[in-house]
Amino acid sequence: GINAEYMGAAPKTVDGFEQMMGVNHLGHFYLTLLLIPALKRAPEARVVVVSSEAHRFNPNMDFDDLMSTSLAPTWSNMFAVYGKTKLANLLFANELQRRLASTGITVNALHPGAVHTQLGDANAKSGGRLLLPFAKCLLYLLGRTPTAGAQTTVHVATCPFLRGRGGLYFSQLHSCCSTEGCTQSGVGPPALGCQCHSGWQA
């Protein structure tokens, strides 16, 4: 299974979760849990978590405010919230790999690079009228095409060298470090369930 992402300032999902945490982390987290029985039956199954170097925007997970209720919905805070969701992805990948280590399922995470897509376009009406055109121009000039941006995801999902190898974090086709090395030491299960699914069996 492969997850993807959203970047926006809409306040909540229909389930009441902060929009970016709901779309970038909780939805993929829950879908992955539902797929685990099928993945266990599949030979050499892989879970690929699309995180981001943006996890460094918010290097310390605030477990007391996972839905970022303490932050005003400003354009600048949006990046901090986005970084939190990407850190949650990495924490999830790290802990899921640990829990599934004996099953044959491997879990790896990646940063696809800055990709020139429509990500964030919905925020032109929510405080980003001035910043969005500038950011889009930078992405157009410096960002990768969607095809190039997909290369790392496809590589991690299909590369024969990664058969049986999990717990790695890739950035633009290169393995940077372990998922554990990209996250806080000692942080594990609390990042998984958030407020969506607190009791799960791997």
PDB file of all heavy atoms in Angstrom, residues 5-38:
ATOM      1  N   GLU A   5      -0.584  12.678   0.156  1.00  0.00           N
ATOM      2  CA  GLU A   5      -0.645  13.798   1.082  1.00  0.00           C
ATOM      3  C   GLU A   5      -1.553  14.921   0.617  1.00  0.00           C
ATOM      4  O   GLU A   5      -2.014  14.968  -0.505  1.00  0.00           O
ATOM      5  CB  GLU A   5       0.754  14.346   1.311  1.00  0.00           C
ATOM      6  CG  GLU A   5       1.388  14.925   0.071  1.00  0.00           C
ATOM      7  CD  GLU A   5       2.815  15.367   0.313  1.00  0.00           C
ATOM      8  OE1 GLU A   5       3.476  14.825   1.192  1.00  0.00           O
ATOM      9  OE2 GLU A   5       3.250  16.281  -0.406  1.00  0.00           O
ATOM     10  N   TYR A   6      -1.756  15.838   1.551  1.00  0.00           N
ATOM     11  CA  TYR A   6      -2.574  17.037   1.324  1.00  0.00           C
ATOM     12  C   TYR A   6      -1.923  18.183   2.090  1.00  0.00           C
ATOM     13  O   TYR A   6      -1.342  17.975   3.160  1.00  0.00           O
ATOM     14  CB  TYR A   6      -3.999  16.801   1.847  1.00  0.00           C
ATOM     15  CG  TYR A   6      -4.821  18.060   2.009  1.00  0.00           C
ATOM     16  CD1 TYR A   6      -5.469  18.628   0.918  1.00  0.00           C
ATOM     17  CD2 TYR A   6      -4.948  18.672   3.255  1.00  0.00           C
ATOM     18  CE1 TYR A   6      -6.230  19.786   1.055  1.00  0.00           C
ATOM     19  CE2 TYR A   6      -5.708  19.834   3.402  1.00  0.00           C
ATOM     20  CZ  TYR A   6      -6.340  20.378   2.305  1.00  0.00           C
ATOM     21  OH  TYR A   6      -7.075  21.510   2.454  1.00  0.00           O
ATOM     22  N   MET A   7      -2.011  19.383   1.567  1.00  0.00           N
ATOM     23  CA  MET A   7      -1.541  20.551   2.295  1.00  0.00           C
ATOM     24  C   MET A   7      -2.583  21.635   2.160  1.00  0.00           C
ATOM     25  O   MET A   7      -2.873  22.096   1.061  1.00  0.00           O
ATOM     26  CB  MET A   7      -0.201  21.048   1.757  1.00  0.00           C
ATOM     27  CG  MET A   7       0.420  22.129   2.622  1.00  0.00           C
ATOM     28  SD  MET A   7       2.070  22.569   2.043  1.00  0.00           S
ATOM     29  CE  MET A   7       2.607  23.640   3.371  1.00  0.00           C
ATOM     30  N   GLY A   8      -3.192  22.016   3.284  1.00  0.00           N
ATOM     31  CA  GLY A   8      -4.263  22.982   3.198  1.00  0.00           C
ATOM     32  C   GLY A   8      -4.615  23.581   4.533  1.00  0.00           C
ATOM     33  O   GLY A   8      -4.112  23.162   5.559  1.00  0.00           O
ATOM     34  N   ALA A   9      -5.485  24.563   4.499  1.00  0.00           N
ATOM     35  CA  ALA A   9      -5.847  25.262   5.718  1.00  0.00           C
ATOM     36  C   ALA A   9      -7.294  25.024   6.133  1.00  0.00           C
ATOM     37  O   ALA A   9      -7.779  25.641   7.050  1.00  0.00           O
ATOM     38  CB  ALA A   9      -5.628  26.763   5.541  1.00  0.00           C
ATOM     39  N   ALA A  10      -8.009  24.121   5.426  1.00  0.00           N
ATOM     40  CA  ALA A  10      -9.370  23.796   5.833  1.00  0.00           C
ATOM     41  C   ALA A  10      -9.326  23.204   7.230  1.00  0.00           C
ATOM     42  O   ALA A  10      -8.490  22.362   7.520  1.00  0.00           O
ATOM     43  CB  ALA A  10      -9.981  22.805   4.837  1.00  0.00           C
ATOM     44  N   PRO A  11     -10.223  23.622   8.133  1.00  0.00           N
ATOM     45  CA  PRO A  11     -10.041  23.305   9.544  1.00  0.00           C
ATOM     46  C   PRO A  11     -10.231  21.859   9.943  1.00  0.00           C
ATOM     47  O   PRO A  11      -9.426  21.314  10.686  1.00  0.00           O
ATOM     48  CB  PRO A  11     -11.070  24.204  10.241  1.00  0.00           C
ATOM     49  CG  PRO A  11     -12.094  24.494   9.192  1.00  0.00           C
ATOM     50  CD  PRO A  11     -11.353  24.530   7.896  1.00  0.00           C
ATOM     51  N   LYS A  12     -11.286  21.177   9.455  1.00  0.00           N
ATOM     52  CA  LYS A  12     -11.581  19.838   9.953  1.00  0.00           C
ATOM     53  C   LYS A  12     -12.120  18.935   8.856  1.00  0.00           C
ATOM     54  O   LYS A  12     -12.701  19.382   7.880  1.00  0.00           O
ATOM     55  CB  LYS A  12     -12.605  19.912  11.093  1.00  0.00           C
ATOM     56  CG  LYS A  12     -12.077  20.544  12.370  1.00  0.00           C
ATOM     57  CD  LYS A  12     -13.118  20.486  13.470  1.00  0.00           C
ATOM     58  CE  LYS A  12     -12.575  21.081  14.764  1.00  0.00           C
ATOM     59  NZ  LYS A  12     -13.576  21.015  15.866  1.00  0.00           N
ATOM     60  N   THR A  13     -11.908  17.626   9.069  1.00  0.00           N
ATOM     61  CA  THR A  13     -12.527  16.628   8.204  1.00  0.00           C
ATOM     62  C   THR A  13     -13.972  16.421   8.659  1.00  0.00           C
ATOM     63  O   THR A  13     -14.391  16.931   9.705  1.00  0.00           O
ATOM     64  CB  THR A  13     -11.781  15.290   8.287  1.00  0.00           C
ATOM     65  OG1 THR A  13     -11.980  14.741   9.608  1.00  0.00           O
ATOM     66  CG2 THR A  13     -10.297  15.466   8.028  1.00  0.00           C
ATOM     67  N   VAL A  14     -14.724  15.624   7.912  1.00  0.00           N
ATOM     68  CA  VAL A  14     -16.108  15.344   8.306  1.00  0.00           C
ATOM     69  C   VAL A  14     -16.159  14.573   9.620  1.00  0.00           C
ATOM     70  O   VAL A  14     -17.192  14.561  10.293  1.00  0.00           O
ATOM     71  CB  VAL A  14     -16.850  14.560   7.200  1.00  0.00           C
ATOM     72  CG1 VAL A  14     -17.002  15.416   5.952  1.00  0.00           C
ATOM     73  CG2 VAL A  14     -16.118  13.261   6.879  1.00  0.00           C
ATOM     74  N   ASP A  15     -15.046  13.929   9.991  1.00  0.00           N
ATOM     75  CA  ASP A  15     -14.983  13.190  11.257  1.00  0.00           C
ATOM     76  C   ASP A  15     -14.528  14.065  12.415  1.00  0.00           C
ATOM     77  O   ASP A  15     -14.411  13.588  13.547  1.00  0.00           O
ATOM     78  CB  ASP A  15     -14.036  11.993  11.122  1.00  0.00           C
ATOM     79  CG  ASP A  15     -14.521  10.996  10.084  1.00  0.00           C
ATOM     80  OD1 ASP A  15     -15.692  10.592  10.175  1.00  0.00           O
ATOM     81  OD2 ASP A  15     -13.749  10.625   9.191  1.00  0.00           O
ATOM     82  N   GLY A  16     -14.229  15.335  12.117  1.00  0.00           N
ATOM     83  CA  GLY A  16     -13.848  16.251  13.183  1.00  0.00           C
ATOM     84  C   GLY A  16     -12.372  16.362  13.448  1.00  0.00           C
ATOM     85  O   GLY A  16     -11.951  16.994  14.426  1.00  0.00           O
ATOM     86  N   PHE A  17     -11.538  15.753  12.602  1.00  0.00           N
ATOM     87  CA  PHE A  17     -10.090  15.838  12.762  1.00  0.00           C
ATOM     88  C   PHE A  17      -9.547  17.054  12.012  1.00  0.00           C
ATOM     89  O   PHE A  17     -10.110  17.470  10.998  1.00  0.00           O
ATOM     90  CB  PHE A  17      -9.395  14.583  12.239  1.00  0.00           C
ATOM     91  CG  PHE A  17      -9.806  13.322  12.944  1.00  0.00           C
ATOM     92  CD1 PHE A  17     -10.471  12.318  12.253  1.00  0.00           C
ATOM     93  CD2 PHE A  17      -9.541  13.143  14.288  1.00  0.00           C
ATOM     94  CE1 PHE A  17     -10.859  11.156  12.898  1.00  0.00           C
ATOM     95  CE2 PHE A  17      -9.924  11.986  14.930  1.00  0.00           C
ATOM     96  CZ  PHE A  17     -10.591  10.992  14.246  1.00  0.00           C
ATOM     97  N   GLU A  18      -8.440  17.599  12.513  1.00  0.00           N
ATOM     98  CA  GLU A  18      -7.740  18.662  11.785  1.00  0.00           C
ATOM     99  C   GLU A  18      -7.457  18.131  10.376  1.00  0.00           C
ATOM    100  O   GLU A  18      -7.015  17.013  10.209  1.00  0.00           O
ATOM    101  CB  GLU A  18      -6.456  19.034  12.525  1.00  0.00           C
ATOM    102  CG  GLU A  18      -5.730  20.239  11.959  1.00  0.00           C
ATOM    103  CD  GLU A  18      -4.898  19.914  10.741  1.00  0.00           C
ATOM    104  OE1 GLU A  18      -4.262  18.832  10.721  1.00  0.00           O
ATOM    105  OE2 GLU A  18      -4.890  20.734   9.800  1.00  0.00           O
ATOM    106  N   GLN A  19      -7.713  18.965   9.358  1.00  0.00           N
ATOM    107  CA  GLN A  19      -7.737  18.493   7.983  1.00  0.00           C
ATOM    108  C   GLN A  19      -6.444  17.812   7.536  1.00  0.00           C
ATOM    109  O   GLN A  19      -6.473  16.715   6.974  1.00  0.00           O
ATOM    110  CB  GLN A  19      -8.042  19.665   7.040  1.00  0.00           C
ATOM    111  CG  GLN A  19      -8.226  19.268   5.583  1.00  0.00           C
ATOM    112  CD  GLN A  19      -9.656  18.876   5.257  1.00  0.00           C
ATOM    113  OE1 GLN A  19     -10.474  18.694   6.136  1.00  0.00           O
ATOM    114  NE2 GLN A  19      -9.949  18.760   3.983  1.00  0.00           N
ATOM    115  N   MET A  20      -5.324  18.444   7.768  1.00  0.00           N
ATOM    116  CA  MET A  20      -4.080  17.855   7.282  1.00  0.00           C
ATOM    117  C   MET A  20      -3.727  16.577   8.038  1.00  0.00           C
ATOM    118  O   MET A  20      -3.266  15.605   7.439  1.00  0.00           O
ATOM    119  CB  MET A  20      -2.938  18.869   7.344  1.00  0.00           C
ATOM    120  CG  MET A  20      -2.956  19.851   6.191  1.00  0.00           C
ATOM    121  SD  MET A  20      -1.460  20.859   6.068  1.00  0.00           S
ATOM    122  CE  MET A  20      -1.769  22.074   7.345  1.00  0.00           C
ATOM    123  N   MET A  21      -3.920  16.551   9.361  1.00  0.00           N
ATOM    124  CA  MET A  21      -3.644  15.331  10.115  1.00  0.00           C
ATOM    125  C   MET A  21      -4.586  14.212   9.666  1.00  0.00           C
ATOM    126  O   MET A  21      -4.176  13.056   9.528  1.00  0.00           O
ATOM    127  CB  MET A  21      -3.796  15.584  11.615  1.00  0.00           C
ATOM    128  CG  MET A  21      -3.462  14.372  12.486  1.00  0.00           C
ATOM    129  SD  MET A  21      -1.742  13.800  12.335  1.00  0.00           S
ATOM    130  CE  MET A  21      -0.881  15.013  13.353  1.00  0.00           C
ATOM    131  N   GLY A  22      -5.832  14.559   9.416  1.00  0.00           N
ATOM    132  CA  GLY A  22      -6.785  13.553   8.968  1.00  0.00           C
ATOM    133  C   GLY A  22      -6.438  12.968   7.610  1.00  0.00           C
ATOM    134  O   GLY A  22      -6.448  11.753   7.417  1.00  0.00           O
ATOM    135  N   VAL A  23      -6.111  13.847   6.658  1.00  0.00           N
ATOM    136  CA  VAL A  23      -5.843  13.394   5.295  1.00  0.00           C
ATOM    137  C   VAL A  23      -4.443  12.799   5.159  1.00  0.00           C
ATOM    138  O   VAL A  23      -4.247  11.762   4.522  1.00  0.00           O
ATOM    139  CB  VAL A  23      -6.024  14.559   4.297  1.00  0.00           C
ATOM    140  CG1 VAL A  23      -5.610  14.149   2.896  1.00  0.00           C
ATOM    141  CG2 VAL A  23      -7.474  15.015   4.297  1.00  0.00           C
ATOM    142  N   ASN A  24      -3.430  13.430   5.751  1.00  0.00           N
ATOM    143  CA  ASN A  24      -2.046  12.996   5.555  1.00  0.00           C
ATOM    144  C   ASN A  24      -1.653  11.811   6.414  1.00  0.00           C
ATOM    145  O   ASN A  24      -0.732  11.069   6.064  1.00  0.00           O
ATOM    146  CB  ASN A  24      -1.077  14.141   5.859  1.00  0.00           C
ATOM    147  CG  ASN A  24      -1.144  15.252   4.839  1.00  0.00           C
ATOM    148  OD1 ASN A  24      -1.848  15.139   3.842  1.00  0.00           O
ATOM    149  ND2 ASN A  24      -0.438  16.328   5.090  1.00  0.00           N
ATOM    150  N   HIS A  25      -2.313  11.651   7.566  1.00  0.00           N
ATOM    151  CA  HIS A  25      -1.884  10.582   8.459  1.00  0.00           C
ATOM    152  C   HIS A  25      -3.003   9.625   8.850  1.00  0.00           C
ATOM    153  O   HIS A  25      -2.904   8.429   8.593  1.00  0.00           O
ATOM    154  CB  HIS A  25      -1.252  11.168   9.727  1.00  0.00           C
ATOM    155  CG  HIS A  25      -0.843  10.108  10.707  1.00  0.00           C
ATOM    156  ND1 HIS A  25       0.099   9.140  10.409  1.00  0.00           N
ATOM    157  CD2 HIS A  25      -1.274   9.836  11.972  1.00  0.00           C
ATOM    158  CE1 HIS A  25       0.243   8.330  11.456  1.00  0.00           C
ATOM    159  NE2 HIS A  25      -0.584   8.726  12.404  1.00  0.00           N
ATOM    160  N   LEU A  26      -4.066  10.117   9.465  1.00  0.00           N
ATOM    161  CA  LEU A  26      -5.054   9.224  10.053  1.00  0.00           C
ATOM    162  C   LEU A  26      -5.747   8.337   9.024  1.00  0.00           C
ATOM    163  O   LEU A  26      -5.981   7.152   9.272  1.00  0.00           O
ATOM    164  CB  LEU A  26      -6.092  10.033  10.832  1.00  0.00           C
ATOM    165  CG  LEU A  26      -5.576  10.740  12.083  1.00  0.00           C
ATOM    166  CD1 LEU A  26      -6.691  11.559  12.723  1.00  0.00           C
ATOM    167  CD2 LEU A  26      -5.019   9.748  13.083  1.00  0.00           C
ATOM    168  N   GLY A  27      -6.070   8.905   7.859  1.00  0.00           N
ATOM    169  CA  GLY A  27      -6.725   8.105   6.836  1.00  0.00           C
ATOM    170  C   GLY A  27      -5.861   6.953   6.363  1.00  0.00           C
ATOM    171  O   GLY A  27      -6.315   5.806   6.262  1.00  0.00           O
ATOM    172  N   HIS A  28      -4.590   7.238   6.093  1.00  0.00           N
ATOM    173  CA  HIS A  28      -3.673   6.194   5.624  1.00  0.00           C
ATOM    174  C   HIS A  28      -3.360   5.204   6.737  1.00  0.00           C
ATOM    175  O   HIS A  28      -3.212   4.002   6.493  1.00  0.00           O
ATOM    176  CB  HIS A  28      -2.382   6.828   5.109  1.00  0.00           C
ATOM    177  CG  HIS A  28      -2.618   7.825   4.017  1.00  0.00           C
ATOM    178  ND1 HIS A  28      -3.161   7.482   2.807  1.00  0.00           N
ATOM    179  CD2 HIS A  28      -2.409   9.166   3.969  1.00  0.00           C
ATOM    180  CE1 HIS A  28      -3.267   8.562   2.042  1.00  0.00           C
ATOM    181  NE2 HIS A  28      -2.827   9.587   2.729  1.00  0.00           N
ATOM    182  N   PHE A  29      -3.248   5.715   7.959  1.00  0.00           N
ATOM    183  CA  PHE A  29      -3.015   4.857   9.118  1.00  0.00           C
ATOM    184  C   PHE A  29      -4.137   3.827   9.241  1.00  0.00           C
ATOM    185  O   PHE A  29      -3.894   2.618   9.337  1.00  0.00           O
ATOM    186  CB  PHE A  29      -2.932   5.724  10.379  1.00  0.00           C
ATOM    187  CG  PHE A  29      -3.149   4.984  11.661  1.00  0.00           C
ATOM    188  CD1 PHE A  29      -2.148   4.180  12.188  1.00  0.00           C
ATOM    189  CD2 PHE A  29      -4.354   5.082  12.333  1.00  0.00           C
ATOM    190  CE1 PHE A  29      -2.351   3.483  13.366  1.00  0.00           C
ATOM    191  CE2 PHE A  29      -4.563   4.387  13.510  1.00  0.00           C
ATOM    192  CZ  PHE A  29      -3.562   3.584  14.034  1.00  0.00           C
ATOM    193  N   TYR A  30      -5.370   4.294   9.187  1.00  0.00           N
ATOM    194  CA  TYR A  30      -6.498   3.393   9.372  1.00  0.00           C
ATOM    195  C   TYR A  30      -6.637   2.424   8.194  1.00  0.00           C
ATOM    196  O   TYR A  30      -6.901   1.227   8.385  1.00  0.00           O
ATOM    197  CB  TYR A  30      -7.781   4.210   9.552  1.00  0.00           C
ATOM    198  CG  TYR A  30      -8.969   3.372   9.933  1.00  0.00           C
ATOM    199  CD1 TYR A  30      -8.937   2.548  11.057  1.00  0.00           C
ATOM    200  CD2 TYR A  30     -10.135   3.396   9.170  1.00  0.00           C
ATOM    201  CE1 TYR A  30     -10.025   1.778  11.412  1.00  0.00           C
ATOM    202  CE2 TYR A  30     -11.231   2.630   9.513  1.00  0.00           C
ATOM    203  CZ  TYR A  30     -11.174   1.823  10.645  1.00  0.00           C
ATOM    204  OH  TYR A  30     -12.263   1.056  10.983  1.00  0.00           O
ATOM    205  N   LEU A  31      -6.454   2.923   6.972  1.00  0.00           N
ATOM    206  CA  LEU A  31      -6.522   2.048   5.806  1.00  0.00           C
ATOM    207  C   LEU A  31      -5.458   0.953   5.884  1.00  0.00           C
ATOM    208  O   LEU A  31      -5.728  -0.220   5.586  1.00  0.00           O
ATOM    209  CB  LEU A  31      -6.344   2.858   4.519  1.00  0.00           C
ATOM    210  CG  LEU A  31      -6.288   2.045   3.212  1.00  0.00           C
ATOM    211  CD1 LEU A  31      -7.585   1.274   2.995  1.00  0.00           C
ATOM    212  CD2 LEU A  31      -6.000   2.971   2.030  1.00  0.00           C
ATOM    213  N   THR A  32      -4.257   1.319   6.311  1.00  0.00           N
ATOM    214  CA  THR A  32      -3.184   0.328   6.437  1.00  0.00           C
ATOM    215  C   THR A  32      -3.568  -0.753   7.436  1.00  0.00           C
ATOM    216  O   THR A  32      -3.334  -1.952   7.207  1.00  0.00           O
ATOM    217  CB  THR A  32      -1.869   1.002   6.864  1.00  0.00           C
ATOM    218  OG1 THR A  32      -1.514   1.999   5.904  1.00  0.00           O
ATOM    219  CG2 THR A  32      -0.736  -0.013   6.955  1.00  0.00           C
ATOM    220  N   LEU A  33      -4.146  -0.364   8.561  1.00  0.00           N
ATOM    221  CA  LEU A  33      -4.577  -1.353   9.549  1.00  0.00           C
ATOM    222  C   LEU A  33      -5.604  -2.313   8.955  1.00  0.00           C
ATOM    223  O   LEU A  33      -5.560  -3.522   9.202  1.00  0.00           O
ATOM    224  CB  LEU A  33      -5.169  -0.667  10.780  1.00  0.00           C
ATOM    225  CG  LEU A  33      -4.265   0.276  11.574  1.00  0.00           C
ATOM    226  CD1 LEU A  33      -4.924   0.616  12.907  1.00  0.00           C
ATOM    227  CD2 LEU A  33      -2.905  -0.341  11.814  1.00  0.00           C
ATOM    228  N   LEU A  34      -6.525  -1.779   8.167  1.00  0.00           N
ATOM    229  CA  LEU A  34      -7.536  -2.633   7.552  1.00  0.00           C
ATOM    230  C   LEU A  34      -6.921  -3.611   6.551  1.00  0.00           C
ATOM    231  O   LEU A  34      -7.445  -4.717   6.344  1.00  0.00           O
ATOM    232  CB  LEU A  34      -8.592  -1.769   6.851  1.00  0.00           C
ATOM    233  CG  LEU A  34      -9.445  -0.868   7.748  1.00  0.00           C
ATOM    234  CD1 LEU A  34     -10.377  -0.016   6.895  1.00  0.00           C
ATOM    235  CD2 LEU A  34     -10.249  -1.686   8.748  1.00  0.00           C
ATOM    236  N   LEU A  35      -5.809  -3.213   5.940  1.00  0.00           N
ATOM    237  CA  LEU A  35      -5.170  -4.044   4.920  1.00  0.00           C
ATOM    238  C   LEU A  35      -4.191  -5.062   5.499  1.00  0.00           C
ATOM    239  O   LEU A  35      -3.750  -5.973   4.777  1.00  0.00           O
ATOM    240  CB  LEU A  35      -4.425  -3.159   3.917  1.00  0.00           C
ATOM    241  CG  LEU A  35      -5.294  -2.304   2.989  1.00  0.00           C
ATOM    242  CD1 LEU A  35      -4.423  -1.357   2.175  1.00  0.00           C
ATOM    243  CD2 LEU A  35      -6.119  -3.192   2.068  1.00  0.00           C
ATOM    244  N   ILE A  36      -3.834  -4.959   6.769  1.00  0.00           N
ATOM    245  CA  ILE A  36      -2.812  -5.837   7.343  1.00  0.00           C
ATOM    246  C   ILE A  36      -3.143  -7.323   7.182  1.00  0.00           C
ATOM    247  O   ILE A  36      -2.261  -8.112   6.797  1.00  0.00           O
ATOM    248  CB  ILE A  36      -2.521  -5.473   8.811  1.00  0.00           C
ATOM    249  CG1 ILE A  36      -1.662  -4.204   8.847  1.00  0.00           C
ATOM    250  CG2 ILE A  36      -1.790  -6.606   9.536  1.00  0.00           C
ATOM    251  CD1 ILE A  36      -1.380  -3.687  10.237  1.00  0.00           C
ATOM    252  N   PRO A  37      -4.370  -7.765   7.445  1.00  0.00           N
ATOM    253  CA  PRO A  37      -4.659  -9.194   7.225  1.00  0.00           C
ATOM    254  C   PRO A  37      -4.367  -9.649   5.798  1.00  0.00           C
ATOM    255  O   PRO A  37      -3.793 -10.730   5.586  1.00  0.00           O
ATOM    256  CB  PRO A  37      -6.151  -9.308   7.567  1.00  0.00           C
ATOM    257  CG  PRO A  37      -6.397  -8.204   8.540  1.00  0.00           C
ATOM    258  CD  PRO A  37      -5.532  -7.068   8.042  1.00  0.00           C
ATOM    259  N   ALA A  38      -4.740  -8.826   4.816  1.00  0.00           N
ATOM    260  CA  ALA A  38      -4.466  -9.183   3.414  1.00  0.00           C
ATOM    261  C   ALA A  38      -2.975  -9.129   3.126  1.00  0.00           C
ATOM    262  O   ALA A  38      -2.440  -9.975   2.397  1.00  0.00           O
ATOM    263  CB  ALA A  38      -5.227  -8.246   2.478  1.00  0.00           C
TER     264      ALA A  38
END
